[in-house]
């Protein structure tokens, strides 16, 4: 059987060139473990000022440039913005899975957070047939584990992977994420 390279979009954390380079190690780990079964798209999404503070427009543009059904993966700020985008916008492509790594759950009354916060009913707005996976390390010093607890409360149908260690960058090892992605694809592609 011919191998099909399915598209996967990875949204970086942060918005600086340093953040992009740091997350490139995550992307390389994912590509290596997926062994060419997926074509990984990793666009640079730099910080922008309002109105696209959270990169919603940039994420929409990146999704629109990919043909066919796709897997969505985001890290840190990119994961939270990806979740915001999917829960607040109509997507005309088939999404086969959403994978969120070290995802902040934005809360509080500070004005600067308003562009990042999810709507109260965000979970109800996600496509019901799309599996959602969240990964978080207990020793993450940038996004504490309490954020994962908030997502557990809001997304009871999601799959949660709590890792003992790995920090905010998950030791630059996305083997577990790749295995979950491959489990969705089925063995017909390998």
């Amino acid at each position: 059987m011919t191998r099909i390279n399915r598209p996967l979009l990875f949204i970086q954390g942060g918005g600086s060139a340093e953040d992009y380079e740091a997350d490139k190690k995550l992307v390389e780990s994912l590509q290596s473990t997926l062994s060419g079964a997926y074509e990984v798209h990793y666009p640079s999404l730099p910080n922008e000022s309002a109105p696209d503070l959270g990169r919603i427009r940039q994420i929409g543009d990146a999704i629109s440039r990919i043909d066919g059904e796709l897997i969505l993966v985001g890290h840190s700020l990119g994961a939270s913005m990806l979740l915001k985008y999917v829960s607040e916008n109509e997507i005309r492509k088939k999404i086969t899975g959403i994978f969120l790594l070290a995802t902040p759950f934005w809360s509080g009354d500070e004005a600067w957070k308003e562009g990042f916060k999810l709507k109260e009913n965000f979970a109800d707005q996600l496509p019901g047939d799309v599996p959602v996976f969240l990964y978080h390390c207990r020793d993450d010093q940038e996004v504490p584990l309490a954020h994962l607890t908030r997502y557990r409360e809001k997304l009871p149908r999601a799959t949660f992977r709590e890792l003992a260690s790995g920090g905010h960058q998950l030791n630059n090892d996305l083997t577990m994420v790749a295995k979950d992605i491959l489990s969705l694809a089925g063995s017909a592609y390998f």
Side-chain angles (χ1 to χ4, degrees):
M1 176 170 267
T2 304
R3 178 174 280 193
I4 298 171
N5 293 333
R6 300 169 124 187
L8 181 150
L9 176 63
F10 190 104
I11 303 296
Q12 74 183 68
S16 69
E18 292 83 17
D19 295 326
Y20 182 81
E21 288 302 314
D23 279 4
K24 191 179 277 188
K25 293 175 185 172
L26 295 172
V27 171
E28 289 167 355
S29 170
L30 198 55
Q31 283 178 315
S32 173
T33 309
L34 292 173
S35 303
Y38 285 81
E39 179 183 358
V40 178
H41 300 263
Y42 182 46
S44 174
L45 303 180
N47 283 332
E48 286 192 4
S49 57
D52 199 29
L53 182 64
R55 297 186 275 183
I56 296 299
R57 180 191 50 77
Q58 294 179 50
I59 291 170
D61 290 347
I63 289 172
S64 71
R65 286 192 292 271
I66 298 173
D67 292 327
E69 60 186 52
L70 71 150
I71 295 278
L72 298 174
V73 181
H75 176 244
S76 193
L77 174 63
S80 66
M81 292 298 92
L82 190 55
L83 187 57
K84 183 173 180 65
Y85 182 85
V86 173
S87 67
E88 295 181 11
N89 294 275
E90 180 182 354
I91 300 175
R92 297 174 191 240
K93 299 177 191 265
K94 178 157 179 56
I95 299 170
T96 57
I98 301 171
F99 298 82
L100 307 169
L101 321 170
T103 311
F105 190 98
W106 300 99
S107 61
D109 296 329
E110 298 92 335
W112 67 270
K113 292 181 180 178
E114 288 307 312
F116 301 114
K117 290 166 116 180
L118 295 164
K119 292 182 178 177
E120 184 61 35
N121 68 340
F122 81 93
D124 298 332
Q125 303 307 310
L126 295 173
D129 61 339
V130 177
V132 177
F133 291 77
L134 287 97
Y135 305 81
H136 212 104
C137 296
R138 289 185 202 127
D139 63 350
D140 188 332
Q141 297 295 311
E142 291 183 49
V143 179
L145 191 60
H147 292 251
L148 184 67
T149 301
R150 294 291 309 273
Y151 282 114
R152 281 187 206 269
E153 295 166 1
K154 299 286 186 179
L155 291 169
R157 69 175 183 87
T159 300
F160 294 88
R161 307 275 193 232
E162 188 176 318
L163 305 148
S165 63
H168 190 61
Q169 293 296 122
L170 296 94
N171 282 335
N172 294 316
D173 181 1
L174 296 189
T175 302
M176 179 182 292
V177 178
K179 286 180 180 178
D180 285 337
I181 290 170
L182 293 172
S183 74
L184 294 180
S187 60
Y189 296 99
F190 310 103

